Amino acid sequence: MTPRIPDETRAGILTWFRAEGQRWLDELPDTVAAVAAAWGFTPTDTLTGGAVSFVTGGTLRDGAEAVLKVAPLDEDNRHEAAALRVWDGRDGVRLLQYDIGRNALLLQRLRPGTALYDAGLEWEEEARIAAPLIARLAVEPPPGHPFRLLADDARTWRIDGTLRALARRLIATAPDRSVLVNRDLHALNILRDGDRWRMIDPKPLVGDPAFAVGAMLRDRRDELGGRPDYEALLRRRLEILCAGTGDDPWRVAAWAACYAAELDEPAIAASLLRVTASTPSMSRG
């Protein structure tokens, strides 16, 4: 099967990786053929949704279904496979094989694979589903892990003034327990698998568990961010998420505000900062 690369995937790879991305695209047929042969994988259907990765479903020699994901290696996905190994199917998609040289992952196939974003649920129900998932994924990383530290990353964020001071406070008052956190867990990266939901496409860091809740707090910001009641919606979602995870609502909102600013979302960061200011902290920090 010659890889059929969706137009949006090709465009995303060329936008992010430019000449290197074109070389990667040129080599993709050989890459897919090599790992497919090594793993006994027969590609059958290209899957959409990979903004900067090629994803195809297929079958293994024993007839079991699987998914092959290949992407140009960068800092965002460098430790995706390592994180999936730590979670080892604990509410995340299971990693079956990994080719570090080609940055190719063979994953279990989730059926029906419907994204939480597309499930037709109210945003409050999305938060209720995501919260226990986030809590169960908050596991301690193994000794000698390769993951970046949230505190180190936060010190480099391009934020100023009140938000910079807030980030420093969060780092200084971090809880003793550091866990593996996914900074990109949102409703498009939570898929239905039988009667449960699983996380895909993690962007791992190690640090404050409250940080991992922020992505879901900020989710659907493009469609909700312009509403006059947006901050009320944020407070309600914050309440639901923290009821399910047990995290400090102030820390969740504060991390989300700082990270939104780092991602150049000034209006969302300002809303989250106001929510933070009106949210009491459960801790002394």
Side-chain angles (χ1 to χ4, degrees), residues 79 82-83 85-86 139-152 178-181 204-207:
H79 299 305
R85 283 201 183 104
V86 172
V139 298
E140 294 186 16
H145 67 79
F147 310 113
R148 302 199 316 261
L149 302 183
L150 169 61
D152 291 344
S178 287
V179 301
L180 190 58
V181 297
L205 294 170
V206 167

Side-chain angles (χ1 to χ4, degrees), residues 21-32:
Q22 185 60 63
R23 287 193 295 272
W24 183 88
L25 289 166
D26 293 340
E27 295 169 0
L28 182 61
D30 290 340
T31 299
V32 171

Side-chain angles (χ1 to χ4, degrees), residues 6 56 58 180 226 230 233:
T56 181
L180 190 58
Y230 180 57
L233 294 177

